[in-house]
Every structure is written in structure tokens, then in C-alpha cells.
Amino acid sequence: MQNLAQNLIDSASAAPDHPALRMDDAVLTYGEFRDAALKVAGSLTARGIAPGDRVGLVLPNVLSFPVVFYGALLAGAAVVPMNPLLKAREVEYYLRDSGARLVVALEPAEPVVEAAGTVGVEAITVGPASPDALMDAAPLDGPVERSAEDLAVILYTSGTTGQPKGAELTHANLTGNCRTTAETLAENTADDVIMGCLPLFHVFGLTCGLNTAVLKGSLLTLIPRFDGAKALSVIERDGVTIFEGVPTMFAGMLHSPGATDPDVSSLRLCVSGGSAMPVEVMRSFEETFGCIILEGYGLSETSPVASFNHPHAERKPGSIGTPIAGVEMRLVDDDGKDVAGGEVGEIAIRGENVMRGYWQRPEETAKAIPDGWFLTGDLARLDEDGYFFIVDRKKEMIIRGGYNVYPREIEEALYEHPAVAEVACVGIAHPELGEEVAAAVALKPGATAEVEELREFVKSRVAAYKYPRHVWLVDALPKGPTGKILRRSVEVPEQVGTR
């Protein structure tokens, strides 16, 4: 049996009365979680969902998400999770491209219902605490048999160019990655309480939050919409031991009013991923809250975890650590050849975590995995101890007058300024140089800083060709569904110039 949902059956058999999921006052035990998921599986089967069929899932972090997700897996279906903030035309694209037979969304869900009607598939709306509308048939007895290479999830990646592509993650991909996360990285047990504020429709929250909790019988406490102050209060209320987030979440907690009031002494591990953690944010967070942050790296296409600062090894701030068990990583040039020691190269990954391919895109798959190694598009350096240091996205590197400028380096310098909360460094078109370096900056609440002051601050820290000639202040920076800052969505003011 390779069905990922077997983990739920096993944990529920071992401790049926142990709390599994919490959302404020609503709690489901493992026994209740299993029974509800088996009812969902029965209802999907009664609606004609067969093993291998795709089921769309458009839910925030509410109790119904894990129940429907595991219910679909129990029925042998592959799940297509989507961001609840998507508009109707975007949902329509995902439904058409994946060939989903049915879609489940949080009521009232007008955009999803509209999209499903356009595509001609059934839309079922459910409440946040229980998917009652999808529990109207006899439950299945247990999981449908699935093989290791059968599809479990299609995760659409927001490619920097063109339409999103669906990364095909198998039962083996997800089972292996959550087991490695649980056993060697988080080292969690049934006694742990994991904070579920990362979106479950995104691979980081799905694997490292939900699937890892279910495997080990831990409690996952959910926050439907992230807020720094709320997160801190939930850590105190539920005795959260493992916090997983993207850097903007750590910054949001750090900068929230009364940040040091709640008692967060229960925290034993904080995990950061999704984008590079600014060293200054890491240092301030650890000082303020008295905990350790371990940074890792991965992508939708790698289930996601590929490397990590392992708990019992040296931690190097600014590094994404070393490859996890079952995974190999190397740095290659544009021809796919290994780069010399200390040189910048593109991260290539091989292992049990790498996706089967892009859904119905054989050419894209061949381009991304030309020889069994997945090409990530991320540039990094390797130090003498085998630790990887992300330099930047290949596509987001700025080439100014023939010199490579890595936005991450400029952002790190700006984060050292005491007034700076968030930064995005971008390249804008320049008639002579090709590209000029620019930066959008959001200040901490109540802080002040002049644009000229910020520019001079960076100028004193980086080579002359690197510092941003254009700096402007914004209230907030554009972010993706996980809270990751989206450089490509930064709007450049007209007086600055065009990208």
C-alpha cells in the first residue's frame, strides 16, 4: 500500500482520542478526522470519482481542508489545491488544464462556482469546520490501493513566464518527503504542536505542516489568515512547539505591536523556507523570542524539501544547508556541467522528492529534467563544508553594464538599516547599462527614513556598481500566497523609469 492517506489510518488507530486538528475552539481528534475523511471518500466515490481522477480543492486553512484532502486521497483521487484568492478565470484555467472532475470550495465561493459552471464540472461548497455537503454517502472501509508512482497532487507553479504548470507529485514523493521532514529535520512526535499558518494549498504547508503532523500523530493548529499578533497568541494558547513560516511571517511577528507580551517559551524549533531569510530578521527574531531558526530550501517540484540546516549539524545563517536524506544537489553551468569550487552555478536536484513531471507538458518536463536532474533556476555557491548559499533566481539576476548584480545581496544590505521592514530589489531598463539597480522599501511601523539616507546606507556596504540608484518607499510589497515577496510584481514609479 503506497497511498499517502494510510498515515492517517495508522495514526488514528494508534491514538484515536489524540487531538489532530484545531482551529480556535473547534478540535478534531485523530479518530474523528479519519471517520470524516472516510465519509468524504465514500461521497466522492458515490459521485463517480474513480482512482486517478483529479479533484480541485479551493480552501483556506480551515478544518475542512485536511478532511477533504485526505478524503480525496483515500478515494484514490489526485488533489489539485488552489489559492482561495484566485479569480474565476484563474480557477477555470486550473480546472481545464488538470481535467478535474469536481471541485470543493469554501461557501459561498462564487468565483469557483462560476468557473466550475463554465468548465462543466460539479462544484461543492462546504463550511469551514466540517465538509458536511460532501459527507452524504456511506464511508469507505479504508484507502484505495495506489502505487508509489501514482499521482497524489498536482501543484501549479506560478512560473515567471507563461501559464502556470502543474507539478505532478506522486504518493512516493510526498510520503518520502514528509517522513524525512518528520524524522530528521523537525524530529516531531505525537507530543508536538505544529503551527499551521502556512497555506495548506502550498507545498511547504502541505508537506511540512499537515502531512508531517499526520504521519507522527502531532496536533496541527490552524490559522486561516496569517497575522503576526494572532500567531503569537496561538503559540501561547496551544503551546506550539514547531513554527514553520516564510521570512515575511517571522518579520510580521517580530514587528507586531506587543510582540514580546505572549509567552512563546514552548517553541523548540522554527523552520524557515519559501524564500531567503534575511540574516538581520533571523538574528532579531532569535534574540527577541529566544529560539533557533533553521532555514531550508525546496520547490513545488521537489515536494518541497531539498536541503536544510540539519538540527545536529553546524548552522550557517544565510545558508540553505545541505541536501536531506535521499536527495542529491549539485551546481551546474548553462551546459549542465559542474561548476568549479566556489563558483556560482544553477542548483540541480536528483532524488526521491523530484516530481514525476509537469502535467501534460512533456517538452517542459524534458527541459526541466533533461538527464534525471531537475534544474531549479536558482543560483547558488557551495562552501568548503558542502553548504549551499543561494545567490539568486537565475531569471531575477540584474545585469548592469555587464556586471551581475544579485538582488538578494542588495536586499540583505538594506535589511541592516534599523528602519527597514521589507525590501524588493529589481532591475529597470537603462539605455546605456542595459539594466539599473532599483529597490522598493517598506519601513517598520512608526519608523522613518529618507530615500537618500537609504541609498547612501547601501552604497557604503556594496561595490559601486551594485548599489540601487533608484529607491522608493511603499506601504507594503506584493506577496504571493505564502507571503513570499514577489519581485516581478513590484510596481516601479513612473518617475523612476520602466522595467
Side-chain angles (χ1 to χ4, degrees):
M1 168 65 74
Q2 286 286 339
N3 195 323
L4 175 66
Q6 183 64 42
N7 291 338
L8 173 57
I9 304 299
D10 294 345
S11 290
S13 299
D17 297 327
H18 192 285
L21 304 166
R22 178 170 186 178
M23 183 179 68
D24 289 334
D25 296 333
V27 179
L28 283 183
T29 65
Y30 268 95
E32 291 166 337
F33 182 7
R34 170 199 59 201
D35 294 347
L38 285 168
K39 280 186 182 174
V40 168
S43 296
L44 288 171
T45 303
R47 284 172 165 81
I49 297 297
D53 283 348
R54 276 77 59 208
V55 171
L57 186 54
V58 195
L59 293 173
N61 284 20
V62 293
L63 295 183
S64 286
F65 186 113
V67 173
V68 176
F69 178 79
Y70 272 87
L73 292 181
L74 286 165
V79 183
V80 185
M82 296 174 231
N83 186 340
L85 299 178
L86 293 175
K87 300 286 189 280
R89 57 182 289 279
E90 296 167 308
V91 175
E92 184 185 329
Y93 169 77
Y94 290 128
L95 293 177
R96 279 194 200 284
D97 191 74
S98 66
R101 293 275 311 278
L102 177 148
V103 60
V104 184
L106 186 68
E107 56 196 14
E110 284 99 341
V112 179
V113 173
E114 180 189 329
T118 306
V119 178
V121 300
E122 184 181 4
I124 298 166
T125 58
V126 298
S130 176
D132 293 335
L134 198 52
M135 297 167 67
D136 54 0
L140 287 195
D141 295 332
V144 168
E145 185 75 46
R146 296 270 78 194
S147 77
E149 288 309 303
D150 280 334
L151 196 55
V153 166
I154 299 179
L155 281 172
Y156 279 85
T157 66
S158 51
T160 45
T161 56
Q163 292 278 31
K165 304 185 290 284
E168 302 175 304
L169 300 181
T170 65
H171 286 270
N173 287 151
L174 294 173
T175 300
N177 209 244
C178 84
R179 178 166 286 113
T180 300
T181 298
E183 293 175 357
T184 64
L185 308 182
E187 300 181 319
N188 60 300
T189 68
D191 295 330
D192 276 301
V193 180
I194 301 175
M195 172 70 94
C197 54
L198 283 165
L200 298 178
F201 58 79
H202 186 270
V203 69
F204 186 5
L206 186 65
T207 292
C208 303
L210 176 58
N211 292 343
T212 297
V214 169
L215 174 69
K216 291 295 186 176
S218 310
L219 169 62
L220 181 70
T221 183
L222 298 168
I223 300 182
R225 188 169 174 274
F226 183 78
D227 170 83
K230 168 76 173 175
L232 289 167
S233 72
V234 169
I235 291 170
E236 179 178 48
R237 183 194 74 193
D238 294 350
V240 170
T241 57
I242 300 174
F243 180 89
E244 300 165 342
V246 294
T248 48
M249 289 178 175
F250 288 94
M253 292 159 71
L254 188 59
H255 302 144
S256 69
T260 54
D261 295 342
D263 177 4
V264 298
S265 58
S266 59
L267 280 178
R268 68 170 180 81
L269 174 67
C270 292
V271 176
S272 178
S275 61
M277 165 69 83
V279 175
E280 194 55 35
V281 172
M282 180 185 281
R283 189 188 62 73
S284 300
F285 190 93
E286 292 184 341
E287 276 182 13
T288 303
F289 298 115
C291 61
I292 291 290
I293 298 173
L294 296 179
E295 190 171 6
Y297 166 77
L299 309 94
S300 298
E301 292 92 338
T302 59
S303 304
V305 190
S307 70
F308 202 73
N309 278 275
H310 291 66
H312 305 294
E314 180 188 358
R315 181 186 67 140
K316 298 193 178 189
S319 168
I320 56 167
T322 57
I324 64 169
V327 174
E328 298 171 87
M329 287 168 54
R330 54 196 269 254
L331 299 179
V332 299
D333 60 20
D334 290 341
D335 298 320
K337 304 280 193 301
D338 290 317
V339 301
E343 294 292 309
V344 173
E346 181 177 0
I347 298 174
I349 300 172
R350 181 169 72 178
E352 63 183 17
N353 60 335
V354 174
M355 65 173 182
R356 194 170 77 176
Y358 290 118
W359 174 254
Q360 295 186 330
R361 284 177 169 78
E363 289 174 12
E364 296 271 15
T365 301
K367 203 182 301 178
I369 317 174
D371 51 2
W373 290 84
F374 171 66
L375 299 174
T376 63
D378 286 321
L379 301 176
R381 281 194 191 87
L382 192 60
D383 75 3
E384 62 281 0
D385 299 320
Y387 282 68
F388 286 80
F389 289 78
I390 292 274
V391 177
D392 238 307
R393 284 290 299 165
K394 196 173 181 180
K395 299 182 183 74
E396 292 178 338
M397 182 173 70
I398 300 164
I399 303 178
R400 181 185 185 273
Y403 288 99
N404 292 347
V405 180
Y406 300 109
R408 166 90 195 274
E409 183 184 355
I410 310 309
E411 288 164 0
E412 287 284 3
L414 274 161
Y415 273 116
E416 290 174 22
H417 191 286
V420 171
E422 294 180 343
V423 189
C425 177
V426 296
I428 59 173
H430 189 279
E432 284 86 45
L433 298 167
E435 283 183 295
E436 185 55 275
V437 184
V441 177
L443 301 178
K444 292 174 185 174
T448 57
E450 296 298 320
V451 162
E452 188 59 34
E453 172 194 345
L454 294 172
R455 189 163 46 227
E456 291 302 313
F457 183 82
V458 187
K459 189 177 180 181
S460 67
R461 282 165 168 74
V462 299
Y465 71 87
K466 292 181 182 177
Y467 81 90
R469 268 52 174 186
H470 305 287
V471 178
W472 63 95
L473 299 177
V474 295
D475 293 332
L477 288 164
K479 299 182 183 74
T482 57
K484 178 179 174 179
I485 292 169
L486 300 177
R487 293 193 189 111
R488 65 179 179 274
S489 299
V490 169
E491 289 188 9
V492 179
E494 277 183 26
Q495 64 269 30
V496 171
T498 55
R499 290 285 293 279

